[in-house]
Amino acid sequence: MTVDAQVSQEDVASIVAQFAQILAERRAADASWADEAIHGLWRDLIELGAQDLLTGAAEDGLALPPAGRLALAREAGRVLLADELLVNLFLLPGLIRSIADPATRSEYARRHSLVPGFILADIRQGLSRPDQPGGSTPFVAGVRAGCDAYALVARGDAFQLQRLAPSDYRVQRSPALELPHATITVPTSEPGEGRTSASLELDLRQWQELAADYRVMAAGALCGVADEAIRLAVAHAQVREQFGRQIGSFQAVKHLLAGAKAGNQAAWSLCVGQQAPADSTASANRAWLLGVRAVRESAEVAVQVFGGMGFTWEHPAQRYLKYALTAVAVSGGPESVGADVARAFRVDMSGTGGEVAPILDDHAEERALREQTRAALATLDLGRSGADSFARRRDIDRLLAEHGLLNLTWPAEYGGRGLGPAHQAVLESELAAVGISVAKSPARIGINLLGPSLMAFGTPEQKDRFLGGIASVEQLWCQGFSEPEAGSDLAGIRTRARQEGTDWVLTGSKIWISQAHEADWCFLLARTGPEGERHHNLTMFLLPMTSGGVSVVPIRQATGESEFNEVFLDDVRVPSSMVLGPVNAGWRVAMTTLTSERSYGQFNRAMVFRGLLDELDQLCIRAYGGRDHSRLARLGGLVARVSAIEALARRSLRNPDEAAELAPVMKLWWSETFQELTALGYETAVTADTDVDVWTTRVLDSRASTIYAGTSQIQKNMIAERFLGLPRG
């Protein structure tokens, strides 16, 4: 089977499908992947041309794009062959192509096309430097009988690729982990008969770039391992019954699997969003770190869901767990990689201030938008607490409105600029750079939540009356959805509306209503039909907060602030002209609003969190001299998590078809990241005896993040039921 080297999008999909088919057929013949099966598979893949497509060695010089390479890596992970395949399809060919002497290069390539190999190199440090001659290399992956052993060695500033003789090395396997990896010891004595050596036209920078590319692909392969572990567990949960029900209907099982899925989606987003080459090693390490964590969590969850059978030697679940443990060992442990990630972040922030990679394909257009935003913000005097007051935040919104920035994604017919979500992300990143969080914008509820619903469902009169005032920040809005008995269960709303003539009369109460004490208007849901129908008898109303019978009671939060309110409605009259959308179709209108609520502001949030990480790093330096390894590791883990928020946002922007599936993942991921970040910040502030009050407020504030806009538990239910296909309870 051969593949057309003209690699189009369609060809990429075809190549990946052929690759997956070959793996599936070979695995069906030998699920344990005995050594001889690897050699047969290698012949199949050479015939497919997979090696040439990964390295660009095809006759016409074309190669698979990064997305295609990652897709192949993920398929290799699904069948637990990532190490063998990535080393042989990508890393070794890349080194062989760097051999200086043409005859030697040809001989090495010919040999490698016949016999797969494994390589000795320091993968615990992200393949950032080659091994020195002599000594032992622990946890070398993909060690197979009948395969060639290669060593990458440094001699001064030059590199050599050596093909070792069997007498040159000793293999010590770990029988408990079962999978093919080993500790390789290369004696320092004279090389054995049969060893060959080839000088490489490769400098340290080129090696680091090749190694970083390999590491990202390895992280993508770990996502494939995690995907398959989750798939097996989900399939089991859909059919296994206990207590007369499928175990997948139990919320505890759903949440285990949804949490694993979210972690894997975050890791995969870092892989596909890799930015190269400026920070390739650092970003590759971030992807690898989350990949290792995702595969371990997914494998452990799979064993847990399968129960006792998953712990038996014959069951595949335990093999995924062993693979995950091997990945941890090969990486040198997440703590080591995490510390490296933290150090790289420190260098990045001190050098560039954490400059954001381009978001738009048109870089000139992006520069123009950034310059316009910076010019508008230059008139602001923003100290450390400059944007903390409500009045100050409203002034900022008005400034943005004056410069046509506040509603830039609105269609031109409604006073906007007709730009897309990616332009909004550019704006958000500039606001974050000066410490402005769009999550606290007073205009956000009208601009981002009500605005899209008005455009979709509003009457011409409603649009004329409200959209202009929302865009100019002359009208502030609040959202009246939650009630004492209907928080996450939005369909459980009890506020009622009865029709009297041309008016509706509202009775009930709303709670947890942000900025209700400052708002001019409220859009709210009320029940307009029999309670038994739940989703189908709700109606959306537009309510002036000055209406008779409306009373607002601020709720003092744990932080001492009062951003939330309880709103009581005592026979409040609303004219029929203030019904948004059809009567009894409020659920459909509300879904438009909620989709905007969960997807909005992710870029800004990632940039704000990056600023908090920088503050936290400075605290760590003051508290521990910046040398506490475990603290650095925790900080590095948070750097990777925050990077994944940005990567998820970029992925959602570039792939709108994935946006709905990614929305609950993003909400779950950023809210739990915020809590981890502020917890470490508080602990460090206490140790440093610096900014304790600031971090106390932050850690308290973060507790609400997993509650509002849909609790973490609701997000996990959505992931489990809508995207994993688990049954409702």
Side-chain angles (χ1 to χ4, degrees), residues 50-81:
Q51 183 191 72
D52 292 343
L53 286 163
L54 279 171
T55 60
E59 289 184 3
D60 57 8
L62 292 180
L64 280 175
R69 297 189 325 195
L70 274 171
L72 290 189
R74 184 160 60 173
E75 293 302 324
R78 292 187 199 280
V79 297
L80 301 181
L81 280 184

Side-chain angles (χ1 to χ4, degrees), residues 38 86 88 100 153 181-182 195 222 238 287 304 342 356 361 367 371 388 438 456 461 470 557 587 617 698 705 712 715:
I38 297 299
L86 293 184
N88 283 286
V153 297
H181 77 279
R195 180 192 292 193
L222 292 179
Q238 289 171 328
Q304 186 72 25
V356 181
D361 292 331
R367 282 194 300 273
E371 289 169 3
D388 278 357
V438 297
E461 293 76 18
I470 292 172
Q557 300 154 212
W587 183 263
D617 184 39
R698 287 171 175 167
S705 65
S712 289
Q715 306 305 321

Side-chain angles (χ1 to χ4, degrees), residues 151-162:
L152 183 65
V153 297
R155 299 195 183 282
D157 294 331
F159 294 133
Q160 289 185 346
L161 181 63
Q162 297 182 349

Side-chain angles (χ1 to χ4, degrees), residues 18-33:
Q18 292 178 65
F19 184 75
Q21 181 181 352
I22 289 173
L23 294 181
E25 290 173 353
R26 284 286 180 176
R27 191 183 194 191
D30 185 352
S32 64
W33 289 119

